[in-house]
Amino acid sequence: SFYRVRVPLIAVQTEVMERIVATAAARYYREQRRLKLPVQFLTNEGAEAALTPFWRTLDRLHHRSASNNAAFKSALDRLAESMKTLYRAYIAAHALAIVNRTNTQSALHSPNKRPMAQVSRVVSASGGFSKKILGS
């Protein structure tokens, strides 16, 4: 059944996205050190750019199935929707992680900032980045 494929695939997806972003971040940090710039965190836009090929694969899975079997297409659509939801959640979690790291560093320097306003701004902005980068 399709269930035997769907559950492990969804379980592994977050780990795959983490590895893709970790590789992109390591490359970004190496480039910053090579250019002798102060090392900064990989931005949310950078994480989304690294995950763009993965998003395109999910989009193809969702919209361009070659199968004529209606039940299979329906199951594939549900799988793709679940995977896209996990993708969006991962991007939002990455944005929050950046904000938390920034707040941790800035708390040492100036404790009177408003972190909640920054968190809501980053989360609301992260939803639009996928659409801007991917054009969908």
Side-chain angles (χ1 to χ4, degrees):
S1 98
F2 200 69
Y3 181 79
R4 288 188 289 179
V5 174
R6 183 176 58 99
V7 172
L9 186 61
I10 289 173
V12 171
Q13 178 183 348
T14 305
E15 184 178 340
V16 169
M17 289 188 298
E18 285 174 358
R19 288 184 183 183
I20 291 169
V21 172
T23 302
R27 194 176 309 124
Y28 181 69
Y29 300 149
R30 270 193 309 269
E31 183 67 20
Q32 286 182 333
R33 277 188 243 119
R34 187 180 66 77
L35 296 172
K36 298 183 182 184
L37 297 172
V39 177
Q40 298 176 348
F41 296 117
L42 182 67
T43 62
N44 210 39
E45 294 93 342
E48 285 192 77
L51 290 170
T52 297
F54 187 70
W55 177 266
R56 287 184 185 143
T57 301
L58 291 178
D59 198 52
R60 267 183 262 145
L61 183 71
H62 190 206
H63 296 292
R64 298 185 202 151
S65 174
S67 175
N68 292 325
N69 184 332
F72 179 77
K73 278 183 148 180
S74 173
L76 199 59
D77 283 346
R78 287 192 308 272
L79 172 66
E81 283 298 322
S82 298
M83 293 177 82
K84 284 182 175 184
T85 301
L86 282 174
Y87 173 89
R88 290 181 193 105
Y90 179 80
I91 294 298
H94 186 267
L96 287 174
I98 291 171
V99 169
N100 287 337
R101 282 186 239 144
T102 305
N103 286 342
T104 302
Q105 288 180 351
S106 66
L108 298 173
H109 302 295
S110 58
N112 294 330
K113 293 203 175 189
R114 293 183 161 190
M116 289 309 293
Q118 292 175 356
V119 170
S120 63
R121 199 173 329 126
V122 170
V123 171
S124 65
S126 69
F129 291 143
S130 293
K131 292 178 183 174
K132 289 179 186 175
I133 291 173
L134 304 171
S136 59

